[in-house]
Amino acid sequence: MPCRGRETELAEHLEGVANPEFAAHLAQCPDCQALLGMWQRMGGWADEAPDAGLAVRFRQRLNNETKPMGRGWMRWAGVAAAIVVSFFAGRTTTDVSDLRQEVRGLREVVALALLEQQSASERLRGIRYSAALEKPDEEVIAALTRTLRTDSSVDVRLAAADALRRYARTETVKQAARELLTENESPMVQVAGIDLLLAARERGRVEQMRTNLNLDENVRKYLERALQQENWE
Amino acid sequence: MRWIWILGLVCGVGWAERISVPFRDPSRPGLVKASALNGSITVQTHAGKEVLVEVGAAKGWAVEEEGSSVRISPVGQGKNSDLQIWVPERTSLNLRSVNGRGIFVENVEGDLDVESVNGSVNLNNVSGTVVAHALNGKLTVRLKQVSRDKPMSFSTLNGTVDVTLPPDVAANFQVRNVWGEIRSDFAIGTAVETKQPRPGKMLTGRVNGGGPEISFRSMNGSIYIRKAGVR
C-alpha cells in the first residue's frame, strides 16, 4: 500500500481535524478514498437489538440443555453462556436454532477449559464432563487424548483412558494407546493402553507386545490375562 | 516479579538451612509445588502466612516464588536431602517424589495432588480434595473433610490403598482392583461386577445418595475404604 503511515492522518480526518496537506493527498489517492469510504460506511451501521422474547427462549433452551447434569456449577456455565450469547446477540442475527448450536459449543468450551485447570481435581471433573457430552467434537477427543498422554497426574491420565473407551476406535485414540505401550511409561498407564487397544479390537497390537523383553512384569501378567479373557468371551 | 533462592550452594554442606518465603497475596490460598528425586517431603501447617522451607544437609535446592505459588525443586542431578515444609493451613499442594521414604502431609486444607514412585504417601487429617498415587509404596489418606462436588482419585500399583473418609461423604465410588482385594466400610450401593472384558474386580455405587466420582485403583495392592470413627 503506497499510503502506509497515513492511517493516523486518515483517522484524524474522520475526526474532523483540519490537515490541508492530507486533504490534498486524499483528493488524488484512490486507495485512501476507498479506505475513507469503508470507515464511513461502517460508522453508519446501526446496532441490531435482540427481540424481547430472546431472553426467555434462551433460558428455556438452556434449562433443557443442562437438565441431565443437574450440577450446581452448571449454573456458572449458564451464566457464562448467557453473557457470551447476549454479547453476540447484539451483533449478529441470532436465530434460536443457532442458539442450540451455540450452547453445545459452549459446553465443549467448558470441557476444554476444565481440562486445562491447575488443580488435578478440576481436571478430573473436566474428564467427567467431557465424557458426558452427547457427541463431543474432535477437539474434545483430542484434548482428552492429550490428557491421557501428558497429564502430570497418573490418576488424571487413568481417568482420561476410562473416558476414551467409548471412542477407542478413533484413530487419534488408537495412535495414543499404541504410543503408551512403546514408550517408557508407568505400568499403570500401559495397562490402560492395553485396555484401550482391546476395546478398539486391536488384538494384534497387544499380542505384539509379548515380544518386548523390557516389558514390566506387571504389565505382562495383565496382558496375558486380558488376552485370555478375550478369547473366552 | 519473581524471586529465586538457591539453598545449599552458598552455605556449604552439613548444616540444616531454613528460609521463609512469603506469598505475594496472602488473602488467597497459595499453591506449593515441590519435587524431590532422592529424599522425602514432609508438609505441616503453622500459624504464619508464609512458607518455611528447611532442608537437611543441603545439596542444592531452588525455591522460586511467583504470585501465589512457591516452587521447590532440586538443582542438578545430585543427591538431595529430605525436605521439610511448613505452610498456612489453607494451601494447595503439588508434590512429587521418586526415591526415598516418600511424602508425608498433615492437617493441610486444599487441593492436594501427590505422587510418589518408590516411597509411600501418607496424608493425615487433611481436608479438601485429594488426587494421590503411589506406584510401589503404600498410600494412606485420612480425610477430615471433603470439598463438595469435587472428584478425587487414589491409586497404587503394588502398595495398599488405605483411605478413611467422613461417614457422611456423598459420592459415586468407583473401585477397581486387578489382583488385590477390596474392603469397604461403606455399603457401595449395588456392588456391580461389570461385564466389560477387563481383568479384575470393578465395583461402582452411590454412597449417601451419590455425588462426585471418587476412584480407587490398584493392581496388586489391597484397597481399604474406611469410615472415620468406625473401629
Side-chain angles (χ1 to χ4, degrees), chain B residues 31-231:
Chain B
L31 167 70
V32 172
K33 298 179 88 165
S35 58
L37 273 175
N38 294 303
S40 66
I41 303 176
T42 305
V43 183
Q44 285 162 295
T45 55
H46 71 140
K49 287 188 183 302
E50 70 281 0
V51 176
L52 299 175
V53 182
E54 189 178 294
V55 291
K59 198 85 194 271
W61 288 91
V63 182
E64 295 169 69
E65 183 265 312
E66 194 172 35
S68 59
S69 76
V70 172
R71 180 194 297 261
I72 303 153
S73 47
V75 176
Q77 297 281 315
K79 268 198 172 178
N80 324 122
S81 55
D82 293 344
L83 193 57
Q84 286 227 55
I85 306 169
W86 287 264
V87 297
E89 194 177 325
R90 293 196 60 192
T91 304
S92 288
L93 301 175
N94 183 315
L95 309 174
R96 297 286 183 272
S97 92
V98 181
N99 297 316
R101 280 180 292 120
I103 300 174
F104 179 73
V105 177
E106 199 165 37
N107 301 332
V108 179
E109 177 189 347
D111 288 332
L112 312 180
D113 173 358
V114 179
E115 265 178 35
S116 174
V117 177
N118 292 318
S120 63
V121 170
N122 191 337
L123 313 180
N124 191 29
N125 204 31
V126 296
S127 310
T129 68
V130 173
V131 176
H133 171 74
L135 191 73
N136 293 316
K138 182 178 178 181
L139 171 60
T140 313
V141 181
R142 293 180 62 85
L143 266 152
K144 190 170 61 174
Q145 255 179 345
V146 301
S147 297
R148 273 174 56 90
D149 290 336
K150 289 197 170 186
M152 297 199 273
S153 181
F154 308 91
S155 64
T156 65
L157 175 72
N158 291 317
T160 303
V161 177
D162 189 333
V163 180
T164 306
L165 295 164
D168 60 348
V169 63
N172 292 352
F173 280 18
Q174 190 179 337
V175 193
R176 186 172 180 218
N177 203 343
V178 181
W179 310 109
E181 62 170 343
I182 299 172
R183 294 281 178 84
S184 169
D185 288 343
F186 294 89
I188 309 182
T190 46
V192 198
E193 193 82 24
T194 53
K195 263 201 201 160
Q196 56 194 322
R198 287 202 277 181
K201 297 172 275 294
M202 173 105 170
L203 304 175
T204 55
R206 288 158 182 262
V207 169
N208 290 320
E213 195 155 282
I214 303 184
S215 295
F216 305 85
R217 289 187 177 89
S218 184
M219 265 189 71
N220 300 318
S222 301
I223 297 178
Y224 299 114
I225 308 170
R226 301 176 198 271
K227 204 183 268 191
V230 174
R231 269 183 300 258

Side-chain angles (χ1 to χ4, degrees), chain A residues 83-100:
Chain A
I83 291 166
V84 175
V85 172
S86 56
F87 177 77
F88 284 113
R91 250 138 248 263
T92 61
T93 39
T94 308
D95 187 14
V96 176
S97 64
D98 291 343
L99 214 61
R100 200 192 162 84

Side-chain angles (χ1 to χ4, degrees), chain A residues 115-133:
Chain A
L115 288 177
E116 296 294 322
Q117 292 292 306
Q118 187 164 49
S119 144
S121 172
E122 291 295 323
R123 298 202 298 280
L124 285 176
R125 176 189 279 183
I127 290 167
R128 236 4 237 158
Y129 185 54
S130 307
L133 290 174

Side-chain angles (χ1 to χ4, degrees), chain A residues 1-3 6 22-35:
Chain A
M1 179 173 159
C3 307
R6 291 241 181 219
F22 179 73
H25 165 78
L26 184 64
Q28 43 146 330
C29 174
D31 280 350
C32 285
Q33 282 163 14
L35 200 58

Side-chain angles (χ1 to χ4, degrees), chain A residues 179-210:
Chain A
E179 278 170 23
L180 292 184
L181 301 185
T182 52
E183 280 168 18
N184 188 18
E185 282 286 358
S186 155
M188 294 288 276
V189 176
Q190 292 208 321
V191 162
I194 292 174
D195 283 344
L196 275 175
L197 283 180
L198 289 178
R201 311 236 185 276
E202 295 256 312
R203 194 189 160 91
R205 284 275 173 184
V206 179
E207 280 173 343
Q208 270 176 29
M209 285 178 72
R210 284 173 161 162

